[in-house]
Amino acid sequence: MKGKTVIVTGSTSGIGAALAGGFAAEGANIVLNGLGDAGLIEAARAALAAAHGVEVIYHGANMARPDEIEALVRAAEGHFGGVDVLVNNAGVQYTEVIEVFPTERWDALIGINLSAPFHATRAVLPGMKRRGWGRIVNIASNAGLGGSVRKSAYVAAKHGVVGLTKVTGLENAQSGVTCNAICPGWVKTPLVDVQIEDRAKRDGTSIEQATYDLLIDQQPSGRFTTFEQLAETALFLCSSAADNMTGTTITLDGGWMAT
Ligand code: NAD
């Protein structure tokens, strides 16, 4: 990855931060993006650059806004001369049954989790095709392959991301640009911590018990998928081993989809 430029959307926290770290460790220059405290983001940016001797910039595009997504890609191209890898990772969660699911939450979730990957992909493709090489890695989810109650918007968005992955792969199959999706099961991040807290409240149990229950309900291994496993998988998708792999999904879910 030395000298390559990688955009990771939603990389101020959780999986995105870990993926940015994984690419930086392999020598890539990084474009960070995401919400959060400006001082903490700047500290993380500087630390990542210093740790790996790479260039790291931050762009604060709100992934709910197509114009800002376009600006993010143009800024990356302007600064580094091109974008080699786009990781569509930014995502939010909201859980409620359909009949009382707030419509504004539906719109926001679909915008950030599904439309943003479309807008970012649309913006990076011309440059990648011109240079004859590019990798688009979509962080979907098991929710892109199966349903779960109370997650209509998230499941619909992630199924959409899997569909977008297929079409992006097909449309660019002979261009040197591949597009694949990683479908993690449970990964211990702030997005899941909220769900563990909700579960503990609902069931009147401890956080430890709710964590165990959440895992064992769906992820037969009983273990979280780790940041390292996700980073290595994203790097694999950018390696020559995956040159002829496109439009498909890799699940890292401890056996969840086999049940
Ligand atoms: P997280 O909450 O730790 O991180 C989400 C990131 O997205 C943050 O950097 C946040 O700032 C950013 N973000 C949110 N809204 C944004 C917006 N409007 N504009 C710009 N950035 C925005 O969550 P995570 O668990 O690391 O999730 C990352 C991705 O992985 C998501 O797409 C999520 O659906 C997916 N995923 C997570 C799990 C899991 O178990 N944690 C499982 C499967 C898939």
Side-chain angles (χ1 to χ4, degrees), residues 134-236:
R135 295 288 176 268
I136 299 171
V137 178
N138 291 330
I139 306 303
S141 164
N142 263 20
L145 304 168
S148 318
V149 297
R150 298 171 58 81
K151 293 188 180 173
S152 55
Y154 191 79
V155 168
K158 295 297 188 183
H159 274 69
V161 169
V162 170
L164 176 67
T165 303
K166 292 178 182 174
V167 176
T168 308
L170 286 174
E171 287 186 2
N172 300 285
Q174 297 189 357
S175 68
V177 179
T178 70
C179 177
N180 294 288
I182 298 174
C183 295
W186 293 117
V187 187
K188 188 85 171 60
T189 70
L191 184 135
V192 169
D193 287 340
V194 176
Q195 294 175 70
I196 292 171
E197 283 157 24
D198 285 351
R199 188 171 183 133
K201 249 184 248 149
R202 187 194 72 195
D203 298 349
T205 56
S206 66
I207 291 290
E208 290 70 29
Q209 185 64 42
T211 303
Y212 174 81
D213 292 344
L214 174 114
L215 275 175
I216 216 64
D217 257 10
Q218 286 162 313
Q219 196 143 299
S221 67
R223 284 178 284 120
F224 285 106
T225 297
T226 67
F227 289 153
E228 292 74 16
Q229 289 157 359
L230 289 162
E232 284 179 32
T233 304
L235 283 163
F236 160 74

